[in-house]
Amino acid sequence: MSDRRVEVVLIGLDGATFTILDAMMRDGVMPFMRDWSATGVRAVLGSTAHPLTPIAWTTLMTGRHPGNHGVFDFVRVVAQEPQPSYVLGTSADVRVETLWAIASRHSLRVSCLNFPCMFPPPAINGFVVPGFVPWRYLSRAVYPRDLYRRLKSLPEFDPKELALDWDIERKALQGLPENEFEEWIQFHTNREAQWFSIARFLMHEEPCDLTAILFDGVDKLQHLCYHLLDPALALHHTSEWAQRVRGLCLDYFRQLDRFIGAIIDVAGRAARVFIASDHGFRAAGDQIFYANVWLEQQGYFAWKEGTAVDQEGRLTLDGHAGPETLIDWSRTVAFAMTASSNGIWIRRKRNGQEGVSSEEYLRLRQRLIDGLQMVADPATGGRIIERVMTREEAFPGVAVEDAPDLTLVLRDHSFLSVLRADVVLRRRRLPYGTHHPDGIFMAAGPGIRRGAELAPFSIVDITPTLLHTLGLPLPSDLDGAPNTAVFEAEWIAAHPVRHEQGPTASVPLSLKSMSSLGTEVDEEVLRRLKALGYLE
Amino acid sequence: MKAQVNRDGYSEVLAYMIGVLQEITADWDVGEITADSRLATLNLESINLVYLIAELQQKYDLGQQLFLRIRAADRPLADLRVVDVVDLVLELRGACENRPKESSS
């Protein structure tokens, strides 16, 4: 065991919301969290404009807005090709330095466990076990490579339990039959035990200045079981099955409470501990918006002949075929490719492919915005889509051209469907939990205020806050700033915020990626970026 | 010149890819992996092949071009042979190496 000690711990709880956590703490399911949180600060943590796991965690771990870090979804949509498609999002998509890289650059040691967008693993001063990697690929996904051999020597290590099974998750997120819930919840409970085991091993054997671990089962369970966890909704679900499934979910949170307690115990009293989520959660409404069906009705989209009509309220295809296989690209100029992004893409006319000219682009975009805002619930007449954001509004920055042209905020924050249906709105079959922008933040430790409820702040401020906590100067190009309200006045007075001198080591910002837009659009985008302070 | 670059790189890319495949199939008897092995015969879920392509892209600095070329070929990834992927890597590397450098002057 090393003489080095853990200075800072970051525990990520994917999708955690105070609506659920407060009930768990109050009802004795999470007694450690209840007692520990009373010794520190807490706040609502505002997520990214579209609160989605890879976008928001990348913002948290870079201190940069999505328009600058370049991650907009689990995948990277390649929209401006004759046959649009998407490819796996990877660590190469992250255009800026991460918290882990900045700390490494200052010779601090870091362990980073289960975070997205970390495959292929970057070489840092420490250890990386990326999240979202299939179990057979894990041996090649960890950094340094020798770490996998060491993990395999742990008696409890089981790569099948550790890794996410995409097939299971894709199926689960479309809705599980009741008789499969118990096995699925147990799978996620066992997964968290695997990640905890790795964190404990590294904290004992290779203590790092910064230890970061993400528990993502919170998000998974809440997608399917939110109605059984939110006290206001659980009252209405009293069947024997609902009680049994709720009990399993509570067991998951009891275990999570024990793991958090054990991690903080291993870190020791001198460590500062931060807990954050990438976004919050809420119950989705009872209707699904079929975005491509609406685009078809407006004359901007066409299905391939024979494309099946979804009768089951699904958001995307099961299996590995992408929705691009359903689309007649010769007659499509606007489309939704992924449910997760809530994004609509507009094709540009170039190299003979279908699409709109630069002159037409802004006009079409505005027509889509106006039309989408008119989509109404037939029962109430109320708007289905609360807000339609242009990409400059949602994701301003140098990577803006990689973002969807439009991002929809549905009134219940649910995800759209990319499938074909016979109606634009279809009733959802099963209760479903969806992402909400209000996540959580908690912190405790030396120099951190006790018992304070802070004003809500942004997820982009987490990296600068952690860098400052680690005693490091801040790169000058961060979008966020340290939240000094976290700390005691005496501590912050003795530890003033410092900034790095000279150019940073971040990936240089470039406007070259915008050059493929037409002149008129360039000027419009540049004007808006200037207005937002992103350009001189 | 381009052909020379490609031929020189063939053995290295092939060895690297076979090494990766051997590692991720180490616990199963999939037989000898050669240039002619079809990916579908390696008893791997397709998601592993997607990660393999991501790793090759990073290793050979291909951006997302390898994914896009395979998509453009309109063939399931699993239907490809090892050598088919190696050829695509080499083709893309050749193209990359022939690109004028942007800022060297």
Side-chain angles (χ1 to χ4, degrees), chain A residues 45-80:
Chain A
L45 189 66
S47 187
T48 41
H50 179 52
L52 186 70
T53 292
I55 309 175
W57 282 121
T58 307
T59 296
L60 182 143
M61 68 192 197
T62 61
R64 306 298 303 273
H65 291 302
N68 284 323
H69 65 56
V71 173
F72 302 103
D73 200 347
F74 289 98
V75 296
R76 174 170 291 280
V77 173
V78 184
Q80 305 307 333

mmCIF file of all heavy atoms in Angstrom, chain A residues 45-80:
data_model
loop_
_atom_site.group_PDB
_atom_site.id
_atom_site.type_symbol
_atom_site.label_atom_id
_atom_site.label_comp_id
_atom_site.label_asym_id
_atom_site.label_seq_id
_atom_site.Cartn_x
_atom_site.Cartn_y
_atom_site.Cartn_z
ATOM 1 N N LEU A 45 -27.985 20.839 -8.976
ATOM 2 C CA LEU A 45 -26.948 21.024 -9.988
ATOM 3 C C LEU A 45 -27.608 21.041 -11.363
ATOM 4 O O LEU A 45 -28.177 20.030 -11.795
ATOM 5 C CB LEU A 45 -25.921 19.889 -9.896
ATOM 6 C CG LEU A 45 -24.657 20.056 -10.734
ATOM 7 C CD1 LEU A 45 -23.829 21.234 -10.243
ATOM 8 C CD2 LEU A 45 -23.820 18.778 -10.702
ATOM 9 N N GLY A 46 -27.542 22.172 -12.032
ATOM 10 C CA GLY A 46 -28.172 22.315 -13.335
ATOM 11 C C GLY A 46 -27.408 21.560 -14.405
ATOM 12 O O GLY A 46 -26.188 21.687 -14.525
ATOM 13 N N SER A 47 -28.113 20.765 -15.187
ATOM 14 C CA SER A 47 -27.476 19.963 -16.226
ATOM 15 C C SER A 47 -27.261 20.780 -17.499
ATOM 16 O O SER A 47 -27.456 21.998 -17.527
ATOM 17 C CB SER A 47 -28.333 18.727 -16.513
ATOM 18 O OG SER A 47 -27.677 17.840 -17.395
ATOM 19 N N THR A 48 -26.875 20.092 -18.545
ATOM 20 C CA THR A 48 -26.670 20.726 -19.848
ATOM 21 C C THR A 48 -28.022 21.009 -20.519
ATOM 22 O O THR A 48 -29.058 20.510 -20.078
ATOM 23 C CB THR A 48 -25.823 19.792 -20.734
ATOM 24 O OG1 THR A 48 -26.251 18.439 -20.547
ATOM 25 C CG2 THR A 48 -24.371 19.888 -20.350
ATOM 26 N N ALA A 49 -27.983 21.778 -21.600
ATOM 27 C CA ALA A 49 -29.227 22.191 -22.268
ATOM 28 C C ALA A 49 -30.074 20.980 -22.633
ATOM 29 O O ALA A 49 -31.294 21.016 -22.524
ATOM 30 C CB ALA A 49 -28.897 23.000 -23.517
ATOM 31 N N HIS A 50 -29.433 19.926 -23.065
ATOM 32 C CA HIS A 50 -30.134 18.648 -23.214
ATOM 33 C C HIS A 50 -29.525 17.706 -22.189
ATOM 34 O O HIS A 50 -28.348 17.328 -22.304
ATOM 35 C CB HIS A 50 -29.956 18.096 -24.635
ATOM 36 C CG HIS A 50 -30.644 16.778 -24.826
ATOM 37 N ND1 HIS A 50 -31.972 16.575 -24.510
ATOM 38 C CD2 HIS A 50 -30.193 15.578 -25.276
ATOM 39 C CE1 HIS A 50 -32.307 15.329 -24.771
ATOM 40 N NE2 HIS A 50 -31.246 14.704 -25.224
ATOM 41 N N PRO A 51 -30.276 17.328 -21.161
ATOM 42 C CA PRO A 51 -29.687 16.568 -20.052
ATOM 43 C C PRO A 51 -29.526 15.090 -20.386
ATOM 44 O O PRO A 51 -30.372 14.269 -20.052
ATOM 45 C CB PRO A 51 -30.695 16.784 -18.914
ATOM 46 C CG PRO A 51 -32.005 17.023 -19.591
ATOM 47 C CD PRO A 51 -31.687 17.661 -20.910
ATOM 48 N N LEU A 52 -28.445 14.755 -21.012
ATOM 49 C CA LEU A 52 -28.173 13.384 -21.444
ATOM 50 C C LEU A 52 -26.795 12.962 -20.921
ATOM 51 O O LEU A 52 -25.854 13.758 -20.929
ATOM 52 C CB LEU A 52 -28.204 13.298 -22.976
ATOM 53 C CG LEU A 52 -28.075 11.888 -23.554
ATOM 54 C CD1 LEU A 52 -29.335 11.073 -23.283
ATOM 55 C CD2 LEU A 52 -27.818 11.948 -25.062
ATOM 56 N N THR A 53 -26.701 11.693 -20.535
ATOM 57 C CA THR A 53 -25.514 11.173 -19.848
ATOM 58 C C THR A 53 -24.179 11.572 -20.490
ATOM 59 O O THR A 53 -23.352 12.203 -19.826
ATOM 60 C CB THR A 53 -25.646 9.643 -19.712
ATOM 61 O OG1 THR A 53 -26.713 9.392 -18.785
ATOM 62 C CG2 THR A 53 -24.369 8.994 -19.231
ATOM 63 N N PRO A 54 -23.899 11.219 -21.746
ATOM 64 C CA PRO A 54 -22.560 11.544 -22.269
ATOM 65 C C PRO A 54 -22.306 13.043 -22.401
ATOM 66 O O PRO A 54 -21.177 13.502 -22.195
ATOM 67 C CB PRO A 54 -22.535 10.862 -23.643
ATOM 68 C CG PRO A 54 -23.953 10.634 -23.996
ATOM 69 C CD PRO A 54 -24.716 10.491 -22.728
ATOM 70 N N ILE A 55 -23.359 13.800 -22.715
ATOM 71 C CA ILE A 55 -23.194 15.251 -22.840
ATOM 72 C C ILE A 55 -22.874 15.843 -21.473
ATOM 73 O O ILE A 55 -21.936 16.638 -21.314
ATOM 74 C CB ILE A 55 -24.481 15.915 -23.381
ATOM 75 C CG1 ILE A 55 -24.983 15.236 -24.649
ATOM 76 C CG2 ILE A 55 -24.264 17.398 -23.610
ATOM 77 C CD1 ILE A 55 -26.318 15.792 -25.156
ATOM 78 N N ALA A 56 -23.675 15.464 -20.497
ATOM 79 C CA ALA A 56 -23.575 16.106 -19.190
ATOM 80 C C ALA A 56 -22.329 15.657 -18.421
ATOM 81 O O ALA A 56 -21.637 16.473 -17.813
ATOM 82 C CB ALA A 56 -24.837 15.830 -18.378
ATOM 83 N N TRP A 57 -22.010 14.360 -18.468
ATOM 84 C CA TRP A 57 -20.798 13.926 -17.754
ATOM 85 C C TRP A 57 -19.559 14.534 -18.402
ATOM 86 O O TRP A 57 -18.582 14.873 -17.724
ATOM 87 C CB TRP A 57 -20.682 12.400 -17.715
ATOM 88 C CG TRP A 57 -21.564 11.752 -16.689
ATOM 89 C CD1 TRP A 57 -22.537 10.821 -16.915
ATOM 90 C CD2 TRP A 57 -21.570 11.976 -15.261
ATOM 91 N NE1 TRP A 57 -23.150 10.473 -15.729
ATOM 92 C CE2 TRP A 57 -22.571 11.160 -14.703
ATOM 93 C CE3 TRP A 57 -20.831 12.810 -14.409
ATOM 94 C CZ2 TRP A 57 -22.852 11.135 -13.339
ATOM 95 C CZ3 TRP A 57 -21.117 12.790 -13.049
ATOM 96 C CH2 TRP A 57 -22.111 11.961 -12.521
ATOM 97 N N THR A 58 -19.570 14.655 -19.729
ATOM 98 C CA THR A 58 -18.399 15.264 -20.375
ATOM 99 C C THR A 58 -18.287 16.730 -19.977
ATOM 100 O O THR A 58 -17.169 17.253 -19.807
ATOM 101 C CB THR A 58 -18.471 15.091 -21.904
ATOM 102 O OG1 THR A 58 -18.665 13.707 -22.206
ATOM 103 C CG2 THR A 58 -17.189 15.556 -22.566
ATOM 104 N N THR A 59 -19.411 17.408 -19.814
ATOM 105 C CA THR A 59 -19.362 18.784 -19.313
ATOM 106 C C THR A 59 -18.826 18.805 -17.887
ATOM 107 O O THR A 59 -17.965 19.625 -17.542
ATOM 108 C CB THR A 59 -20.771 19.416 -19.374
ATOM 109 O OG1 THR A 59 -21.167 19.508 -20.736
ATOM 110 C CG2 THR A 59 -20.776 20.800 -18.747
ATOM 111 N N LEU A 60 -19.322 17.880 -17.067
ATOM 112 C CA LEU A 60 -18.841 17.833 -15.681
ATOM 113 C C LEU A 60 -17.341 17.583 -15.634
ATOM 114 O O LEU A 60 -16.632 18.211 -14.851
ATOM 115 C CB LEU A 60 -19.589 16.737 -14.914
ATOM 116 C CG LEU A 60 -19.221 16.620 -13.430
ATOM 117 C CD1 LEU A 60 -20.441 16.278 -12.580
ATOM 118 C CD2 LEU A 60 -18.119 15.588 -13.178
ATOM 119 N N MET A 61 -16.845 16.699 -16.494
ATOM 120 C CA MET A 61 -15.434 16.308 -16.368
ATOM 121 C C MET A 61 -14.497 17.122 -17.260
ATOM 122 O O MET A 61 -13.311 16.807 -17.339
ATOM 123 C CB MET A 61 -15.271 14.804 -16.642
ATOM 124 C CG MET A 61 -15.520 14.372 -18.051
ATOM 125 S SD MET A 61 -15.622 12.558 -18.136
ATOM 126 C CE MET A 61 -15.380 12.328 -19.907
ATOM 127 N N THR A 62 -15.021 18.182 -17.884
ATOM 128 C CA THR A 62 -14.137 19.077 -18.638
ATOM 129 C C THR A 62 -14.271 20.542 -18.206
ATOM 130 O O THR A 62 -13.388 21.350 -18.510
ATOM 131 C CB THR A 62 -14.415 19.021 -20.159
ATOM 132 O OG1 THR A 62 -15.764 19.436 -20.400
ATOM 133 C CG2 THR A 62 -14.199 17.628 -20.713
ATOM 134 N N GLY A 63 -15.385 20.893 -17.579
ATOM 135 C CA GLY A 63 -15.621 22.307 -17.274
ATOM 136 C C GLY A 63 -15.910 23.116 -18.515
ATOM 137 O O GLY A 63 -15.743 24.335 -18.528
ATOM 138 N N ARG A 64 -16.331 22.439 -19.575
ATOM 139 C CA ARG A 64 -16.618 23.095 -20.844
ATOM 140 C C ARG A 64 -18.048 22.769 -21.266
ATOM 141 O O ARG A 64 -18.547 21.671 -21.038
ATOM 142 C CB ARG A 64 -15.657 22.618 -21.944
ATOM 143 C CG ARG A 64 -14.178 22.746 -21.584
ATOM 144 C CD ARG A 64 -13.774 24.193 -21.354
ATOM 145 N NE ARG A 64 -14.045 25.022 -22.495
ATOM 146 C CZ ARG A 64 -13.207 25.196 -23.527
ATOM 147 N NH1 ARG A 64 -12.036 24.611 -23.528
ATOM 148 N NH2 ARG A 64 -13.533 25.981 -24.538
ATOM 149 N N HIS A 65 -18.680 23.739 -21.916
ATOM 150 C CA HIS A 65 -20.017 23.497 -22.456
ATOM 151 C C HIS A 65 -19.924 22.501 -23.613
ATOM 152 O O HIS A 65 -18.878 22.406 -24.279
ATOM 153 C CB HIS A 65 -20.634 24.807 -22.941
ATOM 154 C CG HIS A 65 -20.967 25.759 -21.833
ATOM 155 N ND1 HIS A 65 -21.816 25.416 -20.796
ATOM 156 C CD2 HIS A 65 -20.574 27.040 -21.581
ATOM 157 C CE1 HIS A 65 -21.936 26.444 -19.968
ATOM 158 N NE2 HIS A 65 -21.180 27.441 -20.415
ATOM 159 N N PRO A 66 -21.033 21.805 -23.893
ATOM 160 C CA PRO A 66 -20.997 20.814 -24.986
ATOM 161 C C PRO A 66 -20.542 21.405 -26.319
ATOM 162 O O PRO A 66 -19.845 20.738 -27.088
ATOM 163 C CB PRO A 66 -22.457 20.335 -25.070
ATOM 164 C CG PRO A 66 -23.009 20.563 -23.702
ATOM 165 C CD PRO A 66 -22.336 21.805 -23.184
ATOM 166 N N GLY A 67 -20.936 22.650 -26.590
ATOM 167 C CA GLY A 67 -20.523 23.270 -27.846
ATOM 168 C C GLY A 67 -19.024 23.403 -27.959
ATOM 169 O O GLY A 67 -18.492 23.597 -29.062
ATOM 170 N N ASN A 68 -18.324 23.294 -26.851
ATOM 171 C CA ASN A 68 -16.858 23.335 -26.899
ATOM 172 C C ASN A 68 -16.217 21.962 -26.716
ATOM 173 O O ASN A 68 -15.176 21.680 -27.297
ATOM 174 C CB ASN A 68 -16.319 24.299 -25.837
ATOM 175 C CG ASN A 68 -16.501 25.744 -26.258
ATOM 176 O OD1 ASN A 68 -16.371 26.074 -27.438
ATOM 177 N ND2 ASN A 68 -16.823 26.614 -25.318
ATOM 178 N N HIS A 69 -16.855 21.079 -25.892
ATOM 179 C CA HIS A 69 -16.197 19.763 -25.745
ATOM 180 C C HIS A 69 -16.548 18.818 -26.887
ATOM 181 O O HIS A 69 -15.820 17.878 -27.175
ATOM 182 C CB HIS A 69 -16.434 19.144 -24.367
ATOM 183 C CG HIS A 69 -17.836 18.774 -24.009
ATOM 184 N ND1 HIS A 69 -18.626 17.933 -24.748
ATOM 185 C CD2 HIS A 69 -18.590 19.114 -22.915
ATOM 186 C CE1 HIS A 69 -19.793 17.759 -24.148
ATOM 187 N NE2 HIS A 69 -19.814 18.488 -23.048
ATOM 188 N N GLY A 70 -17.697 19.041 -27.552
ATOM 189 C CA GLY A 70 -17.952 18.314 -28.792
ATOM 190 C C GLY A 70 -18.734 17.022 -28.676
ATOM 191 O O GLY A 70 -18.874 16.304 -29.667
ATOM 192 N N VAL A 71 -19.249 16.698 -27.480
ATOM 193 C CA VAL A 71 -20.033 15.460 -27.322
ATOM 194 C C VAL A 71 -21.508 15.838 -27.207
ATOM 195 O O VAL A 71 -21.890 16.613 -26.327
ATOM 196 C CB VAL A 71 -19.577 14.675 -26.070
ATOM 197 C CG1 VAL A 71 -20.489 13.491 -25.807
ATOM 198 C CG2 VAL A 71 -18.138 14.216 -26.247
ATOM 199 N N PHE A 72 -22.338 15.264 -28.094
ATOM 200 C CA PHE A 72 -23.755 15.638 -28.138
ATOM 201 C C PHE A 72 -24.700 14.455 -27.998
ATOM 202 O O PHE A 72 -25.910 14.622 -28.037
ATOM 203 C CB PHE A 72 -24.051 16.368 -29.460
ATOM 204 C CG PHE A 72 -23.209 17.594 -29.650
ATOM 205 C CD1 PHE A 72 -22.129 17.582 -30.513
ATOM 206 C CD2 PHE A 72 -23.468 18.749 -28.928
ATOM 207 C CE1 PHE A 72 -21.328 18.706 -30.670
ATOM 208 C CE2 PHE A 72 -22.682 19.875 -29.078
ATOM 209 C CZ PHE A 72 -21.602 19.855 -29.950
ATOM 210 N N ASP A 73 -24.137 13.250 -27.842
ATOM 211 C CA ASP A 73 -25.002 12.069 -27.795
ATOM 212 C C ASP A 73 -24.117 10.874 -27.439
ATOM 213 O O ASP A 73 -22.894 11.005 -27.319
ATOM 214 C CB ASP A 73 -25.652 11.865 -29.173
ATOM 215 C CG ASP A 73 -26.912 11.002 -29.127
ATOM 216 O OD1 ASP A 73 -27.163 10.356 -28.099
ATOM 217 O OD2 ASP A 73 -27.630 10.973 -30.142
ATOM 218 N N PHE A 74 -24.731 9.706 -27.310
ATOM 219 C CA PHE A 74 -23.953 8.478 -27.148
ATOM 220 C C PHE A 74 -23.194 8.156 -28.438
ATOM 221 O O PHE A 74 -22.190 7.458 -28.411
ATOM 222 C CB PHE A 74 -24.876 7.300 -26.833
ATOM 223 C CG PHE A 74 -25.460 7.355 -25.451
ATOM 224 C CD1 PHE A 74 -26.732 7.843 -25.240
ATOM 225 C CD2 PHE A 74 -24.735 6.918 -24.367
ATOM 226 C CE1 PHE A 74 -27.280 7.890 -23.968
ATOM 227 C CE2 PHE A 74 -25.265 6.960 -23.084
ATOM 228 C CZ PHE A 74 -26.542 7.450 -22.881
ATOM 229 N N VAL A 75 -23.723 8.624 -29.554
ATOM 230 C CA VAL A 75 -23.109 8.358 -30.859
ATOM 231 C C VAL A 75 -22.807 9.691 -31.534
ATOM 232 O O VAL A 75 -23.238 10.748 -31.078
ATOM 233 C CB VAL A 75 -24.057 7.532 -31.749
ATOM 234 C CG1 VAL A 75 -24.304 6.164 -31.152
ATOM 235 C CG2 VAL A 75 -25.379 8.275 -31.964
ATOM 236 N N ARG A 76 -22.040 9.611 -32.603
ATOM 237 C CA ARG A 76 -21.788 10.802 -33.413
ATOM 238 C C ARG A 76 -22.562 10.654 -34.724
ATOM 239 O O ARG A 76 -22.306 9.734 -35.493
ATOM 240 C CB ARG A 76 -20.288 10.942 -33.691
ATOM 241 C CG ARG A 76 -19.945 12.070 -34.655
ATOM 242 C CD ARG A 76 -18.455 12.303 -34.696
ATOM 243 N NE ARG A 76 -17.988 12.868 -33.438
ATOM 244 C CZ ARG A 76 -18.077 14.146 -33.099
ATOM 245 N NH1 ARG A 76 -18.616 15.003 -33.947
ATOM 246 N NH2 ARG A 76 -17.649 14.565 -31.935
ATOM 247 N N VAL A 77 -23.519 11.517 -34.912
ATOM 248 C CA VAL A 77 -24.331 11.450 -36.122
ATOM 249 C C VAL A 77 -23.552 12.072 -37.276
ATOM 250 O O VAL A 77 -22.994 13.163 -37.147
ATOM 251 C CB VAL A 77 -25.676 12.183 -35.915
ATOM 252 C CG1 VAL A 77 -26.455 12.264 -37.229
ATOM 253 C CG2 VAL A 77 -26.505 11.454 -34.857
ATOM 254 N N VAL A 78 -23.518 11.343 -38.360
ATOM 255 C CA VAL A 78 -22.856 11.844 -39.570
ATOM 256 C C VAL A 78 -23.978 12.233 -40.515
ATOM 257 O O VAL A 78 -24.504 11.419 -41.274
ATOM 258 C CB VAL A 78 -21.948 10.764 -40.180
ATOM 259 C CG1 VAL A 78 -21.186 11.322 -41.373
ATOM 260 C CG2 VAL A 78 -20.992 10.236 -39.129
ATOM 261 N N ALA A 79 -24.378 13.483 -40.446
ATOM 262 C CA ALA A 79 -25.603 13.922 -41.116
ATOM 263 C C ALA A 79 -25.371 14.342 -42.557
ATOM 264 O O ALA A 79 -26.248 14.170 -43.400
ATOM 265 C CB ALA A 79 -26.233 15.077 -40.342
ATOM 266 N N GLN A 80 -24.212 14.907 -42.838
ATOM 267 C CA GLN A 80 -24.003 15.512 -44.160
ATOM 268 C C GLN A 80 -23.291 14.560 -45.106
ATOM 269 O O GLN A 80 -22.221 14.848 -45.629
ATOM 270 C CB GLN A 80 -23.248 16.833 -44.002
ATOM 271 C CG GLN A 80 -23.916 17.806 -43.066
ATOM 272 C CD GLN A 80 -25.387 18.075 -43.407
ATOM 273 O OE1 GLN A 80 -25.804 17.957 -44.553
ATOM 274 N NE2 GLN A 80 -26.186 18.443 -42.406
#
